[in-house]
Amino acid sequence: MNNKLYEKIISERDVNTLLDLDNDKKENFLIYLMYNRLCNIPFEEMNHSQRTLYLAMKLEDACQADSLTSLAEEKDVFLALSEMKSAFEELGAVKTADLLGELILIVPENTVPEWSWFDENADLIERLDGDISDYPDGLMKNFYLKYISEKDIAEEVLK
């Protein structure tokens, strides 16, 4: 099974094997990395490349499986909305970054709002959630694949 291969790539920090994977296997590797590694690393201990992937994938998951409001369930993630926006810019998904910027403009600074705040802003949040869910920049997997295919990024992700 490929999970053993993915675990070996991570444990041995085998950048060359990672870079040699075809895009389908790299996509599966990213899913494995997210749910078997990144989700288990304390947020503040992730390096830049790990956080970039984690934050982007976290927003994608939130909008596809639940809603933007679910980001508030993890304080560290919600307080990193600006960093999340920067992650999308770094990945090249600027339309998504702009949509996230609209949310950032109305969120009370340095706090996770009470649920009543989300209710009061439901129309805007629902619109942003729908717009992000529609992949305004195209499928995010293409951005992740390009990102992790850069040798220096792959090295940092595997640290």
Side-chain angles (χ1 to χ4, degrees), residues 88-104:
F88 280 94
E89 291 168 345
E90 183 173 338
L91 291 168
V94 293
K95 292 175 184 174
T96 304
D98 289 345
L99 290 166
L100 193 54
E102 287 185 52
L103 176 64
I104 292 167

mmCIF file of all heavy atoms in Angstrom, residues 88-104:
data_model
loop_
_atom_site.group_PDB
_atom_site.id
_atom_site.type_symbol
_atom_site.label_atom_id
_atom_site.label_comp_id
_atom_site.label_asym_id
_atom_site.label_seq_id
_atom_site.Cartn_x
_atom_site.Cartn_y
_atom_site.Cartn_z
ATOM 1 N N PHE A 88 -2.565 31.462 0.656
ATOM 2 C CA PHE A 88 -3.205 31.383 -0.663
ATOM 3 C C PHE A 88 -2.495 32.265 -1.675
ATOM 4 O O PHE A 88 -2.357 31.889 -2.842
ATOM 5 C CB PHE A 88 -4.701 31.714 -0.566
ATOM 6 C CG PHE A 88 -5.520 30.567 -0.096
ATOM 7 C CD1 PHE A 88 -5.827 30.414 1.248
ATOM 8 C CD2 PHE A 88 -5.961 29.596 -0.981
ATOM 9 C CE1 PHE A 88 -6.561 29.334 1.697
ATOM 10 C CE2 PHE A 88 -6.693 28.508 -0.551
ATOM 11 C CZ PHE A 88 -6.994 28.379 0.790
ATOM 12 N N GLU A 89 -2.031 33.413 -1.247
ATOM 13 C CA GLU A 89 -1.260 34.282 -2.152
ATOM 14 C C GLU A 89 0.023 33.588 -2.574
ATOM 15 O O GLU A 89 0.386 33.601 -3.751
ATOM 16 C CB GLU A 89 -0.973 35.620 -1.468
ATOM 17 C CG GLU A 89 -2.204 36.467 -1.271
ATOM 18 C CD GLU A 89 -2.016 37.658 -0.355
ATOM 19 O OE1 GLU A 89 -1.012 37.714 0.383
ATOM 20 O OE2 GLU A 89 -2.883 38.542 -0.376
ATOM 21 N N GLU A 90 0.710 32.975 -1.614
ATOM 22 C CA GLU A 90 1.959 32.270 -1.922
ATOM 23 C C GLU A 90 1.721 31.111 -2.886
ATOM 24 O O GLU A 90 2.523 30.857 -3.779
ATOM 25 C CB GLU A 90 2.601 31.763 -0.635
ATOM 26 C CG GLU A 90 3.929 31.088 -0.851
ATOM 27 C CD GLU A 90 4.638 30.728 0.446
ATOM 28 O OE1 GLU A 90 4.350 31.331 1.496
ATOM 29 O OE2 GLU A 90 5.499 29.831 0.387
ATOM 30 N N LEU A 91 0.619 30.416 -2.700
ATOM 31 C CA LEU A 91 0.284 29.306 -3.584
ATOM 32 C C LEU A 91 -0.140 29.783 -4.974
ATOM 33 O O LEU A 91 -0.132 29.010 -5.925
ATOM 34 C CB LEU A 91 -0.837 28.462 -2.975
ATOM 35 C CG LEU A 91 -0.468 27.656 -1.735
ATOM 36 C CD1 LEU A 91 -1.713 27.106 -1.058
ATOM 37 C CD2 LEU A 91 0.496 26.539 -2.070
ATOM 38 N N GLY A 92 -0.537 31.042 -5.082
ATOM 39 C CA GLY A 92 -0.984 31.587 -6.369
ATOM 40 C C GLY A 92 -2.488 31.644 -6.513
ATOM 41 O O GLY A 92 -3.000 31.977 -7.576
ATOM 42 N N ALA A 93 -3.215 31.303 -5.462
ATOM 43 C CA ALA A 93 -4.683 31.315 -5.485
ATOM 44 C C ALA A 93 -5.174 32.681 -4.979
ATOM 45 O O ALA A 93 -5.743 32.797 -3.899
ATOM 46 C CB ALA A 93 -5.235 30.178 -4.644
ATOM 47 N N VAL A 94 -4.956 33.704 -5.800
ATOM 48 C CA VAL A 94 -5.199 35.079 -5.356
ATOM 49 C C VAL A 94 -6.681 35.427 -5.233
ATOM 50 O O VAL A 94 -7.053 36.256 -4.400
ATOM 51 C CB VAL A 94 -4.469 36.102 -6.257
ATOM 52 C CG1 VAL A 94 -2.958 35.970 -6.106
ATOM 53 C CG2 VAL A 94 -4.866 35.940 -7.705
ATOM 54 N N LYS A 95 -7.533 34.813 -6.018
ATOM 55 C CA LYS A 95 -8.969 35.086 -5.895
ATOM 56 C C LYS A 95 -9.487 34.563 -4.557
ATOM 57 O O LYS A 95 -10.279 35.222 -3.884
ATOM 58 C CB LYS A 95 -9.746 34.467 -7.058
ATOM 59 C CG LYS A 95 -9.451 35.122 -8.395
ATOM 60 C CD LYS A 95 -10.154 34.409 -9.532
ATOM 61 C CE LYS A 95 -9.777 35.022 -10.863
ATOM 62 N NZ LYS A 95 -10.351 34.255 -11.986
ATOM 63 N N THR A 96 -9.035 33.390 -4.179
ATOM 64 C CA THR A 96 -9.411 32.841 -2.883
ATOM 65 C C THR A 96 -8.859 33.719 -1.765
ATOM 66 O O THR A 96 -9.551 34.001 -0.789
ATOM 67 C CB THR A 96 -8.915 31.387 -2.735
ATOM 68 O OG1 THR A 96 -9.431 30.611 -3.825
ATOM 69 C CG2 THR A 96 -9.341 30.778 -1.411
ATOM 70 N N ALA A 97 -7.627 34.173 -1.922
ATOM 71 C CA ALA A 97 -7.025 35.069 -0.929
ATOM 72 C C ALA A 97 -7.846 36.343 -0.791
ATOM 73 O O ALA A 97 -8.074 36.823 0.330
ATOM 74 C CB ALA A 97 -5.581 35.394 -1.311
ATOM 75 N N ASP A 98 -8.298 36.890 -1.907
ATOM 76 C CA ASP A 98 -9.114 38.107 -1.862
ATOM 77 C C ASP A 98 -10.431 37.871 -1.131
ATOM 78 O O ASP A 98 -10.884 38.719 -0.350
ATOM 79 C CB ASP A 98 -9.383 38.636 -3.270
ATOM 80 C CG ASP A 98 -8.147 39.226 -3.929
ATOM 81 O OD1 ASP A 98 -7.141 39.490 -3.226
ATOM 82 O OD2 ASP A 98 -8.176 39.409 -5.164
ATOM 83 N N LEU A 99 -11.062 36.731 -1.373
ATOM 84 C CA LEU A 99 -12.309 36.399 -0.672
ATOM 85 C C LEU A 99 -12.066 36.267 0.824
ATOM 86 O O LEU A 99 -12.846 36.775 1.636
ATOM 87 C CB LEU A 99 -12.908 35.110 -1.237
ATOM 88 C CG LEU A 99 -13.474 35.218 -2.652
ATOM 89 C CD1 LEU A 99 -13.723 33.832 -3.239
ATOM 90 C CD2 LEU A 99 -14.756 36.042 -2.662
ATOM 91 N N LEU A 100 -10.993 35.632 1.184
ATOM 92 C CA LEU A 100 -10.639 35.505 2.596
ATOM 93 C C LEU A 100 -10.362 36.886 3.196
ATOM 94 O O LEU A 100 -10.710 37.151 4.346
ATOM 95 C CB LEU A 100 -9.438 34.582 2.753
ATOM 96 C CG LEU A 100 -9.111 34.087 4.145
ATOM 97 C CD1 LEU A 100 -10.299 33.414 4.811
ATOM 98 C CD2 LEU A 100 -7.940 33.117 4.084
ATOM 99 N N GLY A 101 -9.770 37.761 2.402
ATOM 100 C CA GLY A 101 -9.517 39.134 2.845
ATOM 101 C C GLY A 101 -10.800 39.866 3.212
ATOM 102 O O GLY A 101 -10.809 40.684 4.142
ATOM 103 N N GLU A 102 -11.886 39.578 2.500
ATOM 104 C CA GLU A 102 -13.177 40.191 2.836
ATOM 105 C C GLU A 102 -13.633 39.778 4.231
ATOM 106 O O GLU A 102 -14.189 40.583 4.977
ATOM 107 C CB GLU A 102 -14.249 39.802 1.815
ATOM 108 C CG GLU A 102 -14.103 40.465 0.465
ATOM 109 C CD GLU A 102 -15.261 40.117 -0.448
ATOM 110 O OE1 GLU A 102 -16.435 40.293 -0.033
ATOM 111 O OE2 GLU A 102 -14.995 39.658 -1.582
ATOM 112 N N LEU A 103 -13.409 38.524 4.572
ATOM 113 C CA LEU A 103 -13.766 38.048 5.910
ATOM 114 C C LEU A 103 -12.877 38.719 6.959
ATOM 115 O O LEU A 103 -13.365 39.191 7.982
ATOM 116 C CB LEU A 103 -13.632 36.524 5.995
ATOM 117 C CG LEU A 103 -13.895 35.904 7.367
ATOM 118 C CD1 LEU A 103 -15.347 36.121 7.793
ATOM 119 C CD2 LEU A 103 -13.550 34.418 7.348
ATOM 120 N N ILE A 104 -11.593 38.784 6.680
ATOM 121 C CA ILE A 104 -10.642 39.370 7.624
ATOM 122 C C ILE A 104 -11.011 40.815 7.962
ATOM 123 O O ILE A 104 -10.874 41.242 9.109
ATOM 124 C CB ILE A 104 -9.197 39.272 7.070
ATOM 125 C CG1 ILE A 104 -8.767 37.794 7.047
ATOM 126 C CG2 ILE A 104 -8.224 40.117 7.876
ATOM 127 C CD1 ILE A 104 -7.505 37.520 6.240
#
